[in-house]
Amino acid sequence: MKQRVLVKFSGEALSAENGFGIDTSILKFIAKEIKELVENDIEIGIVIGGGNIIRGVSAAKDGIIKRTSGDYMGMLATVINAVAMQEALEYMGLEVRVQSAIKMEQICETFIVRKAIRHLEKGRIVIFAAGTGNPFFTTDTAATLRAIEIKSSMIIKATKVDGVYDKDPNKYNDAKKLNTISYDDALKDNIKVMDDTSIALAKDNSLPIVVCNMFKEGNLLNIVKNSDFSSCSVVK
Ligand code: GTP
């Protein structure tokens, strides 16, 4: 059986310095990294956040927009990012299907786990959009859920940092990167790898969470193909 992984990108990662919108040169970089995985016979699911367009919590912060509506707006943002990523991956010659947790059949397929798995088996990349389809859940939780549903061997949280530190590396010179973290430690307040719902779901299903730097060329392939976790942090 081929190896299958789910990679989660934050929406902010797609934007240039100001944190807003979509930078096509970043899309192209990510697509190149993903292409290397596909060329090495690795099956790929992708989840992208929506924070570069809108965040539910922030949209609702002054009470004018209800939290539920803010979260639906955030889910729509993830569909925009998914369609953009689909284009970049196809530009690189890859086969891609977008599946949304909320039906929007003119834009993409609707999420059906059995169909997603068939796409993966045929070598297609599947991008899961619209989060879990429910308010109050993060895209990290959606990514963890999809990873479990498609029987991914790990979830890779591709970030701007190399991993998880014992304290903020931007503030403390002596901050140490943690190579391995238990689910229980990750659930403690001081280490915020993902939100508690995601970590609890990963723990219940023994799904390893790999936190790595997405901007380091070849990093994803090195982690998945060579099982080299030295450059990242693993919660397991
Ligand atoms: P196979 O079943 O393996 O042939 O997969 P396939 O995805 O190539 O076949 P299908 O006929 O289901 O899809 C053909 C194209 O239409 C693909 O690009 C799909 O992403 C797209 N597609 C399928 N269902 C929908 C849908 O409900 N909405 C939208 N917008 N596109 C869809």
Side-chain angles (χ1 to χ4, degrees):
M1 201 177 125
K2 288 184 185 168
Q3 198 176 356
R4 184 176 296 162
V5 296
L6 189 134
V7 189
K8 158 79 202 305
F9 296 97
S10 73
E12 286 92 340
L14 304 189
S15 62
E17 295 87 69
N18 64 3
F20 188 79
I22 297 169
D23 184 326
T24 47
S25 62
I26 296 177
L27 281 184
K28 199 173 161 198
F29 175 83
I30 295 174
K32 212 171 115 277
E33 295 296 292
I34 296 291
K35 186 174 185 174
E36 282 191 1
L37 296 176
V38 175
E39 285 172 347
N40 278 275
D41 259 2
I42 296 155
E43 297 175 353
I44 317 288
I46 296 178
V47 169
I48 314 167
N52 55 323
I53 299 166
I54 197 150
R55 285 182 164 281
V57 179
S58 319
K61 70 175 183 294
D62 63 5
I64 295 169
I65 296 172
K66 283 194 288 295
R67 171 70 193 271
T68 45
S69 297
D71 281 346
Y72 281 116
M73 291 159 70
M75 288 179 236
L76 291 173
T78 70
V79 180
I80 296 175
N81 286 336
V83 172
M85 183 59 79
Q86 171 173 243
E87 291 296 313
L89 292 164
E90 285 183 350
Y91 178 86
M92 300 295 288
L94 301 167
E95 271 205 78
V96 193
R97 298 291 183 267
V98 175
Q99 290 202 341
S100 169
I102 296 171
K103 198 167 178 168
M104 36 186 107
E105 60 190 18
Q106 278 77 5
I107 298 172
C108 58
E109 296 180 22
T110 302
F111 172 67
I112 297 171
V113 69
R114 296 169 73 107
K115 203 164 157 90
I117 288 170
R118 286 298 290 140
H119 286 320
L120 293 167
E121 287 169 349
K122 289 176 183 174
R124 298 167 185 154
I125 296 159
V126 182
I127 307 177
F128 300 102
T132 66
N134 298 289
F136 301 105
F137 291 97
T138 62
T139 48
D140 278 355
T141 300
T144 309
L145 176 64
R146 295 294 181 247
I148 294 161
E149 286 180 290
I150 64 169
K151 300 187 169 58
S152 171
S153 60
M154 65 182 96
I155 175 170
I156 301 179
K157 183 164 162 143
T159 67
K160 293 177 178 176
V161 293
D162 285 327
V164 184
Y165 288 78
D166 58 350
K167 44 192 160 185
D168 188 347
N170 295 320
K171 284 191 199 149
Y172 302 93
N173 288 334
D174 62 340
K176 277 201 290 288
K177 185 162 79 69
L178 306 168
N179 279 332
T180 310
I181 307 148
S182 70
Y183 293 112
D184 290 331
D185 283 344
L187 281 166
K188 285 183 191 155
D189 281 341
N190 52 338
I191 301 173
K192 280 284 165 213
V193 183
M194 283 186 167
D195 64 298
D196 289 357
T197 311
S198 322
I199 298 167
L201 194 56
K203 180 185 174 191
D204 282 351
N205 293 278
S206 305
L207 175 75
I209 304 167
V210 178
V211 182
C212 74
N213 186 340
M214 57 177 271
F215 292 110
K216 210 184 260 176
E217 242 180 294
N219 210 15
L220 288 179
L221 184 65
N222 191 37
I223 290 167
V224 181
K225 193 180 177 205
N226 305 328
S227 300
D228 178 357
F229 299 103
S230 58
S231 64
C232 54
S233 298
V234 186
V235 182
K236 59 181 185 181

